[in-house]
Amino acid sequence: MKYTSLKLMLMLFVAISITSCETYDDFDSDRPTVIGFLGNDGTIQVPDGSSVETDINVFVSDMSSNARTFNVVVSEDSTVSSDNYSFNATVEIAPNEREGTFSFTATDSSLTTEEKTLTFAFDNSDPSYVSGDPITFTITLDE
């Protein structure tokens, strides 16, 4: 009985080992470029009557011999008023690179000590790429 169950377990192990081998036939297939933000959500405290500039790094999943431009948008769920920020709405990835940077400036035009959010995402209207999660900044007035 002991040997029968041992043989059965051995045969089961061999069967699983043989049948679980997968092939990756789709490895070389064309996939859309994936672009995403590097880093985590953050908090920005803007001095009274002043502004703070912040760089945001982005990463793409593949390299290209051509420069590529991606559109950045502000998410509708952002709660900060548009007079309190400005940003470059595009980010360019240089040829043969996988990283790029864009900047935004938080300005005290009408900020209060109440926390407001500013969420950036990539415009998904272009089917040649897909994007990762948005990035959110909490912006407050630093008195």
Side-chain angles (χ1 to χ4, degrees):
M1 179 80 168
K2 194 180 216 183
Y3 293 109
T4 306
S5 61
L6 185 59
K7 285 182 183 179
L8 183 59
M9 288 177 57
L10 181 60
M11 288 179 10
L12 184 60
F13 175 75
V14 170
I16 290 173
S17 297
I18 291 172
T19 59
S20 67
C21 296
E22 294 183 25
T23 61
Y24 296 98
D25 296 333
D26 65 341
F27 179 75
D28 291 328
S29 65
D30 288 335
R31 293 184 172 88
T33 296
V34 178
I35 185 166
F37 298 102
L38 289 175
N40 298 318
D41 294 348
T43 300
I44 298 173
Q45 294 185 324
V46 180
D48 191 17
S50 189
S51 61
V52 175
E53 185 172 328
T54 302
D55 289 334
I56 301 173
N57 296 319
V58 300
F59 181 82
V60 292
S61 60
D62 58 2
M63 280 197 241
S64 172
S65 59
N66 300 317
R68 295 174 286 175
T69 302
F70 299 92
N71 295 321
V72 179
V73 296
V74 172
S75 175
E76 292 179 4
D77 62 348
S78 295
T79 58
V80 68
S81 173
S82 63
D83 64 331
N84 289 305
Y85 66 87
S86 61
F87 70 102
N88 187 349
T90 60
V91 59
E92 182 174 300
I93 308 294
N96 301 313
E97 294 290 331
R98 293 175 67 181
E99 292 186 28
T101 302
F102 77 97
S103 299
F104 84 92
T105 302
T107 304
D108 173 30
S109 291
S110 61
L111 290 175
T112 65
T113 55
E114 180 185 349
E115 292 184 346
K116 299 289 185 175
T117 60
L118 177 60
T119 301
F120 292 105
F122 290 99
D123 179 8
N124 285 326
S125 63
D126 185 341
S128 69
Y129 67 88
V130 294
S131 62
D133 292 335
I135 191 167
T136 300
F137 292 91
T138 301
I139 301 174
T140 61
L141 182 63
D142 184 17
E143 294 182 297

